[in-house]
Amino acid sequence: MKFGKGVWAHYIKSAFEKYFMWKVKSGNVAPFFEEEGLKLFFGTKGVILCADCSGAPSSAC
């Protein structure tokens, strides 16, 4: 069986990169649709930031 060159993989990678850079630029680490998807598929509670934290979400407050 012969496969194509995988041009579709380039488009998927490019779209994911644009999405990730949008998240970084906007500072939104967990958009609502990601939170809802994680709740739906895995039953997680999502990202919870402490009230007095002024740093990055993963940094110590």
Side-chain angles (χ1 to χ4, degrees):
M1 180 180 263
K2 189 174 181 179
F3 294 103
K5 291 198 178 256
V7 175
W8 61 272
H10 171 72
Y11 290 121
I12 297 287
K13 181 178 180 264
S14 180
F16 179 76
E17 181 180 356
K18 288 181 189 307
Y19 167 71
F20 183 78
M21 292 306 292
W22 167 78
K23 278 179 54 169
V24 170
K25 287 179 184 178
S26 69
N28 191 356
V29 296
F32 75 93
F33 49 87
E34 281 186 11
E35 296 264 345
E36 293 301 318
L38 289 172
K39 284 180 196 173
L40 179 68
F41 291 117
F42 302 113
T44 61
K45 296 190 186 223
V47 177
I48 301 170
L49 301 175
C50 61
D52 59 338
C53 186
S54 61
S58 62
S59 66
C61 292

